[in-house]
Amino acid sequence: MIPVRDDLRALEGYHSPQVDVRVRLNTNESPVPPPAAWRDAFAAELSRVEWHRYPDRSASALRAAIAAWHGVDPAQVFAANGSNEVLQTVLLTYAGPGRTVATFEPTYQLHGHIARITGATVVEGERAADFTLDPDEVRRVVESARPHVTFLCSPNNPTGVVEPPERLDELVALAPGLVVVDEAYAQFADWSALDRVDDDVPMAVVRTFSKTWSMAASRLGYLVGPRWLVAELEKVVLPYHLDAAKQIAGRLALDFVDDMDDRVAGIVAERARISDAMAGLDVEVFPSGANFVLIRPRSMGGHDLWQALLDRDVLVRDCSSWPRLDDCLRVTVGTPDENDAFLTALAGALSEVHA
Ligand SMILES: *Cc1c(COP(=O)(O)O)cnc(C)c1O
């Protein structure tokens, strides 16, 4: 064995078990595949790809389609292999050794994880017990750490909390560096930071095709931000990183915005239904603006509940051992049938304790 970089020695890998079960509600994917018409159009275009040539390096058709949808300029759009590669490129460009990145915990684990891999120092601010963000804590962290990059995840994963727009505005006014708003779940919430994107504001919004768009298998995400930021990211990312098939997949997906909106509305309705149903059970249910709900059982351990659900063929995300999330489980909203199966399993698991 050859030793890795000193600063990586203590690092643990990203862990999310892929278990074979009947009802899989653990990774916040869409419960349904993309429309059949999308698959047909994709197959037809794939047959015309010039496979011996490199793909369009600037992904111009894809970026133009994303830009048209959001009403921005294509020069304000940076696309990559999942929003994780977007985040990595931002951090390679603006974090790295000797620089500081701020997060507000608990939040998406990969913000801090990728930042550490680039060699940056991560400063963790704390959320309140109900997982909301206190403006005084934001001020304390930003003024003491002077971060080069500050993350805000809204709706926040894994808590579901939607930050009020004022919180972002305060942060942007205070932060000395770049503010990155991770909006992986924005379509499920009631506001987006997209209309605040401006060349004079050091703030960028990151989105993904993995959740709302039913395209997790495709690995496609993007950023909307100032033109100068996009130009810097293009210098850092590997040339030809977006393959031809992915560029086609994403561009064609944007022909199905109405279908996507319908799915989002269905999931939001199901989120309300399962949240209401759980309110009658012995669990704490945190309000969510995303396609998942965080819960905490009142009279049994979180990990025990996770196992009891798995015994009933339902897989959810076990956050019970994560810092600040004692006994919490995160449940992705599925199809109505999957949600019924989950509710039945949950009621069964909870009543077993009292038996
Ligand atoms: C799921 C998720 C992503 C998505 O990552 P991809 O690489 O696009 O699949 C990004 N941010 C958050 C907060 C997420 O929950």
Side-chain angles (χ1 to χ4, degrees):
M1 285 245 292
I2 301 174
V4 298
R5 273 167 31 197
D6 290 345
D7 60 321
L8 293 186
R9 220 169 281 163
L11 204 70
E12 285 181 34
Y14 181 71
H15 189 64
S16 177
Q18 291 189 304
V19 185
D20 196 19
V21 291
R22 195 169 64 83
V23 180
R24 217 163 68 182
L25 303 175
N26 65 326
T27 42
N28 298 346
E29 295 145 316
S30 166
V32 290
W38 172 85
R39 239 182 308 188
D40 294 344
F42 181 51
E45 288 215 24
L46 267 190
S47 70
R48 294 194 289 271
V49 170
E50 292 187 17
W51 290 107
H52 58 304
R53 300 296 183 193
Y54 281 106
D56 174 9
R57 183 168 166 185
S58 56
S60 37
L62 170 64
R63 287 167 67 192
I66 294 169
W69 180 41
H70 291 314
V72 299
D73 187 86
Q76 295 174 287
V77 177
F78 172 78
N81 292 286
S83 50
N84 286 331
E85 196 192 30
V86 175
L87 301 172
Q88 183 190 50
T89 309
V90 167
L91 290 164
L92 286 171
T93 311
Y94 290 94
R99 290 190 161 217
T100 302
V101 173
T103 63
F104 294 93
E105 303 290 331
T107 190
Y108 188 47
Q109 291 178 319
L110 285 176
H111 295 154
H113 182 75
I114 302 171
R116 289 183 183 97
I117 290 173
T118 72
T121 300
V122 176
V123 174
E124 297 183 340
E126 299 289 333
R127 288 169 182 271
D130 64 356
F131 303 128
T132 58
L133 204 47
D134 172 8
D136 291 337
E137 172 70 353
V138 174
R139 177 177 297 276
R140 184 190 69 78
V141 168
V142 170
E143 289 184 347
S144 62
R146 310 294 297 159
H148 298 83
V149 180
T150 304
F151 282 103
L152 199 65
C153 188
S154 179
N156 188 37
N157 180 6
T159 63
V161 170
V162 179
E163 296 307 334
E166 312 85 80
R167 204 68 356 97
L168 173 63
D169 294 339
E170 290 157 14
L171 176 61
V172 169
L174 277 174
L178 181 66
V179 174
V180 177
V181 187
D182 189 331
E183 289 199 347
Y185 305 98
Q187 283 102 328
F188 303 103
D190 51 9
W191 81 280
S192 162
L194 271 177
D195 57 10
R196 285 166 160 76
V197 170
D198 188 301
D199 281 351
D200 296 327
V201 181
M203 186 275 295
V205 177
V206 179
R207 292 264 184 117
T208 177
F209 280 76
S210 297
K211 312 285 161 55
T212 329
W213 285 102
S214 305
M215 283 173 57
S218 193
R219 308 300 302 123
L220 179 62
Y222 61 94
L223 166 151
V224 180
R227 289 173 183 78
W228 51 263
L229 172 70
V230 171
E232 296 299 335
L233 300 180
E234 295 288 0
K235 290 183 207 164
V236 170
V237 80
L238 293 175
Y240 309 111
H241 65 129
L242 277 186
D243 68 77
K246 182 178 329 235
Q247 294 187 32
I248 293 169
R251 174 170 53 76
L252 291 176
L254 293 164
D255 291 340
F256 296 88
V257 170
D258 290 345
D259 297 64
M260 189 270 286
D261 287 342
D262 288 347
R263 283 140 186 259
V264 168
I267 287 170
V268 168
E270 281 292 290
R271 180 181 76 203
R273 184 176 74 90
I274 62 170
S275 299
D276 288 351
M278 287 190 291
L281 299 174
D282 200 11
V283 286
E284 186 176 359
V285 181
F286 294 92
S288 171
N291 67 337
F292 57 83
V293 182
L294 192 75
I295 62 172
R296 178 186 272 147
R298 292 200 184 90
S299 52
M300 73 189 287
H303 181 73
D304 292 342
L305 176 59
W306 179 82
Q307 185 63 55
L309 292 170
L310 191 57
D311 293 344
R312 289 164 172 80
D313 234 3
V314 176
L315 178 65
V316 301
R317 193 70 183 268
D318 184 3
C319 310
S320 63
S321 65
W322 298 5
R324 310 168 183 86
L325 289 168
D326 296 343
D327 290 319
C328 288
L329 304 180
R330 192 195 66 194
V331 185
T332 304
V333 179
T335 62
D337 285 349
E338 289 172 327
N339 299 332
D340 285 341
F342 162 70
L343 289 171
T344 303
L346 180 67
L350 291 169
S351 65
E352 196 173 69
V353 185
H354 297 294

